[in-house]
Amino acid sequence: MPTVGVKRDLLFKALGKTYTDEEFDELCFEYGLELDEITSEKEIISREQGDSKASGASDVILYKIDVPANRYDLLCLEGLVRGLQVFKNKLEAPRYRRVSPLSGEPQKLIITEETVAVRPHAVAAVLRNITFTQERYDSFIELQEKLHQNICRKRSLVAIGTHDLDTVSGPFTYTAKPPAEISFKPLNQTKEYTATQLMSLYKTDSHLRHYLHIIEDKPLYPVIYDSNGIVLSMPPIINGDHSKITLKTKNVFVECTATDLTKAKIVLDMMVTMFSEYCSQPFTVEEAEVVYPDGKTCKYPELAYRKEKLSSDFVNRKVGINESTETIARLLTKMCLRSEVTGVGDEIEVEIPPTRSDVIHACDIMEDAAMAYGFNNIPYTTPRTYTVANQFPLNKLTELLRQDLAAAGFTEALNFALCSTEDISDKLGKKISETRAVHIANPKTVEFQVARTTLLPGLLKTLAANRKMPLPLKLFEISDVVLKDDTKDVGARNSRRFCAVYYNKSPGFEVIHGLLDRTMQLLEVKSQRGDGYHIQAAEDSTFFPGRCAEIFVGGKSVGRLGVLHPDVITRFELTMPCSAVEMDIEPFLGHPAEATLTHDVPLHEVIKHHFPSQVPNSRPTSTKTVFGDVSSAAGLKALDDFLADKSYMEGFEATQADTTMFDAIPSAPSSTFSHLLRWYNHVKSFLRERANLPSAKTQFVLEEDDDDDDDMDLFGSDDEEDSAEVEKLKEQRLAEYAAKKSKKPALIAKSSILLDVKPWDDETDMAKMEECVRSVKMEGLLWGQSKMVPVGYGIKKLQIGCVVEDEKVGTDLLEEAITAFEEYVQSVDVAAFNKI
Amino acid sequence: MSDAGLLETLLRRIEAADGGVDSLETASILGVDHQVLVGAVKSLLALEDLISAELRSSKHWELSGEGTEIAEQGSHEARVFSSIPPEGLPQSELMKLSFGKIGFSKAMSNKWIKVDKTHEGGPRIFRSGAVEGLLWLLSTSQHELWIILETAIQLTTMRWTVKSYWITKGSCFSTTITKPETELTPEMIANGSWKEKKFKPYNFEALGVAPDCGHLHPLMKVRTQFRQIFLEMGFTEMPTNNFIESSFWNFDSLFQPQQHPARDAHDTFFISDPALAHEFPLEYLERVKKIHSEGGYGSQGYKYDWKIEEAQKNILRTHTTAVSARMLYKLAQQEKFTPVKYFSIDRVFRNETLDATHLAEFHQIEGVVADRGLTLGDLMGILHQFFTKLGITKLRFKPAYNPYTEPSMEVFSYHEGLKKWVEVGNSGVFRPEMLLPMGLPEDVTVIAWGLSLERPTMIKYGINNIRELVGHKVNLQMVYDGPICRLES
């Protein structure tokens, strides 16, 4: 995390308010910053170099503030103040503008093709009529340094050069030349050097020597000349002294050379947005033209404002709050993300300024809304995620064994997984080539050369460090070692081992052997050849000859035990005899009933997911249902009637039928549809576990009948506030839609319905009743077969099928018409409803 | 005289005496060393209320060995003076005498003797004449004489404190001794003799005998408790037994760009053998490449040239989130999404500079929940439940940055001892750029948090240097003495 040092009084002056240290710390916390240290230059020098050196230093109070690594816009006083002032609603975020020069052509930076092999990109801009003060100047230099250390990755990705434009004259040429041919007076030096000389001069420079490696081995070094052959800079090492910025500088030429163009643009934007504040036209930046080797030109700085649209519902849902669209827009604006409510549903249009290169996805915007809302104002909620816990079987076995090994009188040690090559080879009397060890490429000390292949050296070192403890010392460890294994994707795997040592005046082989027997007892392995365990004499250079045995379980070797070789004992700086056992415990895992998780991943995807290139809007498009269009009052009325005596769309429990219908309804229904509203609120409570609900038997929601991916919302909300323009757009779309539809053969949605018609009593004339039912005639209704089904007590009901056109005939209409024959019909129920 | 005999003799003398007897006096009467008699008194005192004894002390002076010598033969300087013949004595000869060195310097400063350094055969000492010495003595003031005397006393005498007992009868005085039993024996139980016996009282002030036992390591005890907490909360343990990981799973799959400083050799251990990972789910790898270099799923991406060579590099994993990434990818490969809660506690590796609180390897505790529609409030709610089980109830969240979570929050708890907020963990919501290329449904949110195992353990067990806790330099006494681990109290 980068740390920015700012003078406290200067900061408070710019913020227009004096804070106590605690208040400012609190403000930082809220804004995602950390007031790391309150100090002064004097204090820093006296701490680092002693009091004597500090005597003349300034004791102005400095705040050291930790800034998140992706917030390059907060790396200087100017940016911090701007961010905090906007956050506190004391300032509106400025608009940064790129302008053409008042007269004449823009400054040109011509890139030649020699740069391709060393540092191919360059961008530039001009800060016109800037006024520096000592503080501004210091901050300007400091920001370059901070950017160099962070986003520029120590100048390897981007290097910044700033020049007094009035000392040089364009067009500028960015080229690359052999080092011997580059000669200039570098910054703060008194004479000219060639690039070759410079590289050796800076070998001893505490600051610059860290950057030499970037170009050192290249045949050509990058260099920027003005039209008179004056060297502006030799990126990424040093600028020329000629174009040095001073307090008197009025016009600044900023260039960034890079190996990563995206980052170069960001860095240039940062430099100019932060300091254009001090130009005579604040927040304007004069463009510069970059000419590429192929003749193409590009104007910089980009200062691009990007617009993103998102819904307040998205923010509310992700954060777990319930704020109005206007409030969320206001919160975002506080974070320098100027936001406006578009009026289309709960949509917000967010403008991302060039200073916020960290915002790359809607989730970044959502986070800013949450920060502005205040993380600590968000109510805690408990997810209802239902899961059954499982232990990783190997860890479970380890935990159980550890307990019982401690109960057997051994003390647990915990050693590093990394060690020296010597520890696992020479000291144990083994060759490193035999160990299958994984080697580390960049260890800082010998202690991290390899991953251990055995637990034994760690335990022996623990013994050595605790030689003063009373004897005997009995230690054990159950932990992972690492072995090369070609069958794994990474070419290595862990292996879980158990190791124990006994250290005393006598070797105590019987103690270690007894521990092995006890361990086998705990693992339910009998002492017998064949499927049990046994030990048999073995040769091993780690052990005293004739005092080593191999452990076999089910005929397979799992480890060894024995008395350690005196040489091994001595090499680990021990003085007493020692016996040890080490074995693999994975063969004792058994076969758990539940599927075991592994970290192996399938290499080929069986399930083919649909990977959209853009996140679609959250709302499904279809509002058409078997009850009609639920975005219309008529559709809602039909649904309300349907739900009058039902808790769910189907059966006695919530199903997918409920959630899909829920999705189809554009917004919460008004209280006039009381049954619907009751159902709506009830189903809403299930949305979290919607995926776990049983699937629907009936399709209530109809698919949009145009089959392309056009996701326009034809029947969108009937917002009263719709402006004339929106209305016009809607009409236009409707016209388009109609035109599109007319080109397609009309598809008529039909359903097959089975009705149960019940008579009053056993005396009702069933034939007459059927006749009455069949007499119902409607457009789009076709009666089908029927039969009499006994109900009980001699009563029969009429079961009659029909096919209806969904658009024209609704079940409610049908029922109404049939129950009109009051004489015969007691009730009508829909027994089955299937879409054809 | 036998011990028992002495005890009885002493008791009889006490019985006969009026009031009491003095131990010092009795010892000289009985002709035994005073210390022996004191021993007898102490053993009688152990028998309840038989006698009572009052400690008395008296002081007296005695000549020390040196003092005795001086008393008999004169002071060192006097002996030097007298041992020098008129013709003088070589200095080396004088120094051979037992009193030579001390006496020489005293006699010199008193000017009783003189040294002729130029004498043939080495320096030689001569008397300087008694008259001169006497003259000096006469000229010495009263005060100076006092100092001389005092030093002389300090050097030549020893001060003794003699302790004696004034012994009187106790409430259960008797001249016969019945020795109380120390312990109940099987015989006593069998023949019932315990009823008549007197038993020696126990000293409840003393400590018991330490049991012969093994011990669990404190860090592992804390690990067990954390596992328990996760299991109580319904979390399934992830298989984290893979220390070697590819950069792909450790960084790329988490949307951590290839130029990120954490991927620097200064922070990460790279593997030279086996240097590269050779198998990846290729379709997924393509999607990861795309999200980094071009963006997608509503993201701008990082817009840089993503290289598979960088992703292939094997490393020692820097966090267990690499395993979480594998688990989430596998979850995405299910036909139908099911919510999961995962945890792990295992080793991770950082190529960092070591100090009292940082090692190159440490244990990371990680919790992950994947479900549809989870919120930031849900993450805070889970964290609250989790930390409550650790005995931490006051939480505060600070916005933070992490390449693979958005939002990211640092978790702070109020430390009653330090009277300030201290960081106790990190948390966040995994970025869509990480989840969507895996194939997880869009409405699935994954929340996660992590902390180190070492820090709470060091606080719990009051350890300041991490090397005393982890590694071979562990202090075994600390392991032996460690209490059981109850995190909530």
Side-chain angles (χ1 to χ4, degrees):
Chain A
M1 207 188 272
T3 305
V4 181
V6 292
K7 290 181 180 156
R8 184 190 63 183
D9 297 343
L10 221 55
L11 176 73
F12 288 169
K13 197 178 146 208
L15 288 173
K17 187 181 168 186
T18 305
Y19 292 84
T20 64
D21 292 341
E22 289 73 28
E23 282 167 351
F24 190 71
D25 184 40
E26 194 63 34
L27 174 63
C28 283
F29 193 96
E30 253 184 276
Y31 198 60
L33 304 170
E34 201 171 322
L35 181 55
D36 188 44
E37 201 188 352
I38 301 162
T39 180
S40 70
E41 213 166 286
K42 195 171 188 171
E43 215 180 301
I44 296 170
I45 298 175
S46 106
R47 192 176 49 211
E48 287 168 1
Q49 303 167 29
D51 288 336
S52 55
K53 296 263 175 104
S55 61
S58 144
D59 49 11
V60 171
I61 304 283
L62 286 180
Y63 273 177
K64 295 271 179 189
I65 301 171
D66 279 351
V67 174
N70 62 342
R71 290 298 299 271
Y72 315 118
D73 60 322
L74 303 177
L75 288 176
C76 61
L77 176 81
E78 288 73 13
L80 270 174
V81 168
R82 224 174 284 164
L84 288 172
Q85 291 291 76
V86 175
F87 184 58
K88 295 252 109 195
N89 290 322
K90 286 188 189 152
L91 186 79
E92 205 173 308
R95 267 202 91 78
Y96 307 101
R97 283 188 304 126
R98 183 175 79 193
V99 294
S100 307
L102 285 173
S103 60
E105 288 287 298
Q107 294 294 337
K108 273 201 173 85
L109 177 63
I110 302 157
I111 305 178
T112 72
E113 55 189 302
E114 288 83 5
T115 59
V116 170
V118 50
R119 207 171 175 84
H121 307 291
V123 292
V126 174
L127 288 170
R128 191 61 79 177
N129 281 318
I130 193 165
T131 310
F132 279 121
T133 62
Q134 188 63 48
E135 272 103 16
R136 291 172 184 181
Y137 179 84
D138 292 346
S139 179
F140 188 68
I141 302 296
E142 188 63 21
L143 176 63
Q144 292 177 52
E145 181 55 22
K146 292 282 176 230
L147 290 169
H148 276 151
Q149 292 311 313
N150 293 284
I151 180 175
C152 304
R153 299 290 297 118
K154 302 200 172 90
R155 302 192 187 180
S156 64
L157 301 181
V158 188
I160 312 160
T162 53
H163 312 277
D164 187 335
L165 184 58
D166 300 321
T167 63
V168 285
S169 62
F172 305 99
T173 308
Y174 174 43
T175 184
K177 281 186 159 187
E181 289 174 29
I182 303 171
S183 178
F184 65 105
K185 189 166 96 180
L187 196 62
N188 302 330
Q189 294 287 342
T190 47
K191 59 170 194 140
E192 282 203 4
Y193 292 86
T194 66
T196 322
Q197 288 167 331
L198 275 180
M199 293 306 262
S200 59
L201 176 70
Y202 291 140
K203 274 266 172 341
T204 52
D205 188 297
S206 63
H207 179 57
L208 295 176
R209 65 191 162 100
H210 301 294
Y211 310 121
L212 303 181
H213 73 97
I214 304 171
I215 56 167
E216 207 165 22
D217 307 327
K218 310 275 181 185
L220 303 179
Y221 287 6
V223 62
I224 302 177
Y225 291 102
D226 85 340
S227 60
N228 300 320
I230 291 169
V231 171
L232 272 71
S233 65
M234 185 178 84
I237 312 296
I238 190 89
N239 286 352
D241 195 61
H242 184 94
S243 57
K244 181 161 102 180
I245 304 255
T246 67
L247 286 183
K248 294 193 190 94
T249 300
K250 295 311 287 178
N251 300 302
V252 180
F253 181 64
V254 186
E255 41 86 4
C256 299
T257 56
T259 53
D260 180 323
L261 182 59
T262 313
K263 295 225 159 48
K265 290 179 192 169
I266 295 173
V267 169
L268 183 67
D269 278 353
M270 287 303 157
M271 284 303 299
V272 299
T273 51
M274 291 301 118
F275 285 89
S276 55
E277 186 177 345
Y278 303 132
C279 291
S280 61
Q281 285 288 315
F283 307 116
T284 63
V285 185
E286 187 181 301
E287 67 194 14
E289 194 173 86
V290 172
V291 183
Y292 290 95
D294 61 3
K296 270 196 250 169
T297 64
C298 224
K299 285 197 175 141
Y300 292 104
E302 277 197 340
L303 294 184
Y305 281 80
R306 192 175 87 240
K307 288 195 171 166
E308 294 254 5
K309 280 184 186 167
L310 51 85
S311 69
S312 61
D313 175 58
F314 167 77
V315 174
N316 280 327
R317 264 191 298 120
K318 291 284 176 187
V319 180
I321 52 176
N322 193 12
E323 294 297 317
S324 71
T325 310
E326 288 74 17
T327 306
I328 286 170
R330 207 160 47 237
L331 290 174
L332 288 171
T333 305
K334 272 177 73 169
M335 304 302 288
C336 291
L337 300 172
R338 198 189 300 245
S339 300
E340 272 169 23
V341 177
T342 62
V344 180
D346 61 350
E347 192 179 69
I348 303 173
E349 188 174 70
V350 187
E351 185 184 65
I352 294 122
T355 45
R356 293 298 306 273
S357 58
D358 60 298
V359 176
I360 57 174
H361 190 277
C363 69
D364 297 301
I365 300 172
M366 175 266 289
E367 183 191 51
D368 273 28
M371 276 165 68
Y373 183 82
F375 278 10
N376 296 298
N377 298 324
I378 299 169
Y380 294 178
T381 46
T382 308
R384 289 161 60 185
T385 308
Y386 174 80
T387 51
V388 173
N390 280 315
Q391 303 187 47
F392 181 50
L394 185 58
N395 290 359
K396 185 176 182 173
L397 176 66
T398 305
E399 286 286 306
L400 294 171
L401 262 185
R402 284 175 52 242
Q403 299 282 341
D404 272 320
L405 288 166
F410 280 69
T411 292
E412 187 176 32
L414 179 69
N415 288 297
F416 300 123
L418 306 183
C419 60
S420 68
T421 313
E422 197 188 23
D423 283 343
I424 55 164
S425 57
D426 298 353
K427 280 176 148 184
L428 292 179
K430 305 255 178 187
K431 287 198 185 98
I432 189 69
S433 54
E434 294 164 4
T435 57
R436 289 157 73 199
V438 166
H439 291 257
I440 292 158
N442 56 334
K444 278 183 185 152
T445 72
V446 288
E447 286 167 71
F448 312 125
Q449 289 174 315
V450 289
R452 63 179 171 191
T453 53
T454 154
L455 300 179
L456 187 58
L459 288 183
L460 295 179
K461 288 201 273 186
T462 308
L463 287 178
N466 286 280
R467 275 178 310 196
K468 286 182 187 150
M469 297 296 290
L471 293 174
L473 283 170
K474 300 193 275 185
L475 301 179
F476 81 95
E477 183 170 2
I478 304 183
S479 207
D480 284 350
V481 301
V482 183
L483 303 170
K484 283 206 282 181
D485 182 346
D486 289 339
T487 65
K488 294 283 170 179
D489 59 348
V490 296
R493 67 173 165 87
N494 284 19
S495 168
R496 183 122 340 149
R497 296 280 179 80
F498 155 55
C499 185
V501 292
Y502 177 82
Y503 183 68
N504 203 358
K505 286 174 184 149
S506 64
F509 179 82
E510 68 289 352
V511 178
I512 281 297
H513 190 185
L515 184 68
L516 173 70
D517 293 336
R518 172 67 184 142
T519 309
M520 289 299 175
Q521 194 175 43
L522 292 168
L523 293 169
E524 295 180 275
V525 182
K526 288 198 171 64
S527 171
Q528 65 191 35
R529 286 183 188 257
D531 59 351
Y533 78 97
H534 71 274
I535 65 172
Q536 96 189 20
E539 280 299 308
D540 190 314
S541 47
T542 303
F543 295 92
F544 200 42
R547 296 276 187 278
C548 171
E550 188 143 22
I551 309 159
F552 287 89
V553 173
K556 281 188 189 141
S557 167
V558 295
R560 281 175 187 182
L561 79 164
V563 178
L564 293 185
H565 197 287
D567 286 345
V568 173
I569 290 171
T570 321
R571 285 186 205 117
F572 281 96
E573 290 161 31
L574 295 170
T575 51
M576 307 267 173
C578 181
S579 51
V581 58
E582 177 158 13
M583 64 183 225
D584 211 337
I585 66 161
E586 287 176 39
F588 304 97
L589 261 182
H591 304 284
E594 282 167 304
T596 306
L597 280 175
T598 71
H599 47 256
D600 297 323
V601 295
L603 293 176
H604 297 288
E605 292 179 3
V606 185
I607 306 299
K608 295 291 170 199
H609 293 287
H610 177 55
F611 289 99
S613 56
Q614 289 291 321
V615 178
N617 293 329
S618 51
R619 287 257 171 246
T621 50
S622 176
T623 53
K624 295 179 77 185
T625 68
V626 295
F627 304 100
D629 183 352
V630 289
S631 66
S632 71
L636 291 174
K637 171 77 177 73
L639 185 56
D640 186 54
D641 292 346
F642 175 75
L643 288 167
D645 57 352
K646 293 181 183 67
S647 294
Y648 300 102
M649 296 301 293
E650 292 180 340
F652 314 106
E653 56 175 347
T655 64
Q656 303 280 0
D658 293 290
T659 54
T660 39
M661 180 59 80
F662 180 89
D663 289 341
I665 300 170
S667 59
S670 76
S671 55
T672 48
F673 305 116
S674 58
H675 306 300
L676 178 57
L677 186 63
R678 182 246 316 144
W679 168 88
Y680 187 91
N681 288 330
H682 184 50
V683 172
K684 199 171 169 182
S685 70
F686 285 98
L687 290 185
R688 217 190 264 280
E689 64 260 41
R690 59 184 298 164
N692 301 327
L693 298 178
S695 55
K697 292 190 187 71
T698 316
Q699 190 181 14
F700 292 100
V701 180
L702 309 175
E703 270 157 42
E704 206 61 69
D705 46 4
D706 51 348
D707 52 4
D708 60 9
D709 278 338
D710 193 344
D711 60 357
M712 58 188 175
D713 189 357
L714 294 170
F715 308 97
S717 58
D718 312 350
D719 207 327
E720 285 92 355
E721 288 163 24
D722 270 3
S723 64
E725 208 176 315
V726 174
E727 205 58 60
K728 206 173 132 195
L729 191 73
K730 205 160 160 183
E731 270 169 36
Q732 189 190 332
R733 282 191 182 174
L734 273 168
E736 279 170 10
Y737 176 67
K740 202 185 266 178
K741 202 171 177 182
S742 65
K743 287 175 201 152
K744 286 183 191 167
L747 259 175
I748 300 163
K750 287 180 183 170
S751 303
S752 139
I753 303 173
L754 194 63
L755 294 171
D756 277 352
V757 187
K758 290 176 197 134
W760 285 107
D761 51 37
D762 55 348
E763 284 165 24
T764 309
D765 184 349
M766 296 304 284
K768 186 71 187 162
M769 188 173 88
E770 185 172 352
E771 202 177 297
C772 291
V773 170
R774 284 185 186 277
S775 72
V776 175
K777 294 268 187 291
M778 290 182 198
E779 202 193 338
L781 168 68
L782 194 66
W783 289 109
Q785 288 182 331
S786 66
K787 62 176 173 184
M788 298 296 166
V789 181
V791 182
Y793 307 107
I795 305 177
K796 288 178 182 170
K797 66 176 178 184
L798 169 71
Q799 208 163 57
I800 184 164
C802 64
V803 173
V804 298
E805 279 181 46
D806 296 347
E807 287 276 70
K808 293 167 183 163
V809 184
T811 46
D812 47 344
L813 268 176
L814 211 51
E815 279 173 45
E816 214 171 281
I818 296 167
T819 44
F821 301 101
E822 285 172 44
E823 257 178 276
Y824 303 101
V825 179
Q826 186 200 18
S827 70
V828 180
D829 291 306
V830 178
F833 187 113
N834 289 299
K835 257 194 76 68
I836 300 167
Chain B
M1 204 185 288
S2 72
D3 280 359
L6 178 63
L7 291 179
E8 275 175 37
T9 315
L10 180 60
L11 284 171
R12 274 197 300 278
R13 288 198 74 85
I14 295 166
E15 190 184 29
D18 228 0
V21 296
D22 181 69
S23 61
L24 205 59
E25 206 178 302
T26 314
S28 66
I29 292 168
L30 294 177
V32 295
D33 192 84
H34 183 237
Q35 285 308 315
V36 175
L37 193 83
V38 169
V41 171
K42 285 200 172 150
S43 59
L44 288 175
L45 277 173
L47 310 169
E48 223 159 315
D49 295 332
L50 189 65
I51 57 161
S52 66
E54 186 192 332
L55 188 66
R56 290 171 171 190
S57 63
S58 62
K59 287 172 188 166
H60 80 138
W61 297 86
E62 210 171 73
L63 279 176
S64 67
E66 193 184 358
T68 315
E69 200 182 320
I70 291 171
E72 283 165 7
Q73 303 182 25
S75 71
H76 301 302
E77 56 271 37
R79 287 169 78 191
V80 166
F81 184 79
S82 59
S83 59
I84 296 171
E87 68 274 20
L89 189 70
Q91 191 176 9
S92 52
E93 286 291 314
L94 179 68
M95 288 307 163
K96 281 177 193 158
L97 301 169
S98 64
F99 51 83
K101 215 167 188 172
I102 303 171
F104 170 74
S105 54
K106 275 279 168 73
M108 275 300 285
S109 67
N110 290 356
K111 300 196 173 83
W112 294 350
I113 55 171
K114 58 186 179 190
V115 184
D116 180 2
K117 288 192 176 160
T118 58
H119 200 277
E120 225 176 290
R124 203 174 178 89
I125 296 158
F126 297 92
R127 291 190 182 185
S128 61
V131 183
E132 281 170 63
L134 208 61
L135 274 176
W136 170 81
L137 198 61
L138 287 173
S139 69
T140 311
S141 74
Q142 189 99 9
H143 175 70
E144 279 169 316
L145 274 173
W146 260 117
I147 297 171
I148 295 165
L149 267 172
E150 251 176 60
T151 5
I153 288 166
Q154 275 174 19
L155 276 171
T156 55
T157 57
M158 287 190 290
R159 193 170 142 173
W160 289 89
T161 302
V162 178
K163 286 184 179 169
S164 63
Y165 285 100
W166 181 253
I167 309 156
T168 51
K169 291 175 195 167
S171 57
C172 308
F173 184 79
S174 123
T175 49
T176 51
I177 303 161
T178 46
K179 206 178 176 192
E181 296 295 334
T182 47
E183 289 299 353
L184 192 61
T185 62
E187 291 75 30
M188 292 176 199
I189 296 168
N191 58 29
S193 65
W194 59 270
K195 289 173 198 159
E196 278 80 46
K197 301 269 186 195
K198 275 193 174 174
F199 287 88
K200 200 177 168 184
Y202 276 168
N203 176 10
F204 293 113
E205 299 298 317
L207 288 176
V209 177
D212 186 16
C213 58
H215 310 265
L216 292 172
H217 192 279
L219 192 77
M220 296 294 99
K221 286 199 257 193
V222 179
R223 185 181 73 175
T224 304
Q225 288 313 304
F226 271 101
R227 275 185 98 239
Q228 193 62 43
I229 288 171
F230 276 114
L231 292 170
E232 283 168 12
M233 290 174 72
F235 283 66
T236 285
E237 192 168 29
M238 289 189 276
T240 45
N241 55 337
N242 59 328
F243 295 165
I244 311 297
E245 187 56 278
S246 62
S247 295
F248 178 77
W249 287 108
N250 196 82
F251 297 122
D252 295 288
S253 71
L254 300 175
F255 196 52
Q256 197 150 349
Q258 295 191 327
Q259 316 89 341
H260 195 275
R263 303 181 68 155
D264 214 273
H266 295 296
D267 292 283
T268 300
F269 285 113
F270 286 87
I271 304 296
S272 56
D273 180 24
L276 301 178
H278 47 83
E279 275 177 341
F280 301 98
L282 287 175
E283 295 120 309
Y284 172 51
L285 182 124
E286 278 306 314
R287 295 195 295 270
V288 169
K289 177 181 178 172
K290 204 167 166 207
I291 191 82
H292 278 251
S293 53
E294 295 168 32
Y297 311 99
S299 172
Q300 302 290 309
Y302 292 125
K303 299 199 173 81
Y304 70 99
D305 189 10
W306 188 88
K307 293 191 176 77
I308 187 166
E309 293 78 12
E310 200 58 45
Q312 274 187 294
K313 287 183 182 168
N314 274 337
I315 57 166
L316 278 162
R317 68 164 174 232
T318 63
H319 47 198
T320 49
T321 318
V323 178
S324 311
R326 283 173 180 262
M327 292 298 112
L328 290 170
Y329 175 67
K330 286 176 83 162
L331 180 66
Q333 300 319 303
Q334 287 181 13
E335 187 106 32
K336 188 172 164 245
F337 171 80
T338 48
V340 294
K341 293 197 289 211
Y342 286 144
F343 82 95
S344 66
I345 309 169
D346 213 333
R347 293 178 199 242
V348 296
F349 305 84
R350 308 266 168 100
N351 197 4
E352 278 178 317
T353 315
L354 315 179
D355 61 34
T357 52
H358 291 87
L359 288 174
E361 54 187 276
F362 63 93
H363 288 73
Q364 186 190 342
I365 301 168
E366 183 170 349
V368 178
V369 184
D371 199 355
R372 294 180 194 269
L374 293 175
T375 67
L376 201 55
D378 287 338
L379 173 57
M380 290 171 163
I382 292 189
L383 285 168
H384 178 69
Q385 289 177 334
F386 178 79
F387 281 101
T388 301
K389 282 178 179 279
L390 299 176
I392 296 171
T393 48
K394 249 170 142 180
L395 289 185
R396 200 161 78 134
F397 300 92
K398 175 177 160 290
Y401 170 67
N402 183 338
Y404 49 89
T405 54
E406 189 79 13
S408 312
M409 307 190 293
E410 279 171 10
V411 189
F412 283 74
S413 88
Y414 191 74
H415 194 289
E416 295 294 347
L418 300 171
K419 296 266 174 262
K420 64 171 190 177
W421 292 90
V422 291
E423 198 192 325
V424 290
N426 259 300
S427 64
V429 181
F430 283 137
R431 292 191 71 99
E433 289 100 326
M434 166 182 167
L435 302 179
L436 295 176
M438 288 177 171
L440 284 169
E442 256 169 58
D443 56 345
V444 169
T445 305
V446 183
I447 57 182
W449 73 98
L451 57 154
S452 94
L453 178 64
E454 278 77 358
R455 223 170 92 90
T457 308
M458 286 171 78
I459 294 168
K460 175 87 199 164
Y461 288 96
I463 296 164
N464 293 322
N465 187 346
I466 196 165
R467 287 165 193 280
E468 279 180 30
L469 176 68
V470 190
H472 58 268
K473 287 180 185 151
V474 65
N475 175 358
L476 279 182
Q477 194 62 49
M478 179 273 292
V479 178
Y480 291 170
D481 296 345
I484 55 170
C485 174
R486 283 168 298 172
L487 290 170
E488 73 287 358
S489 58

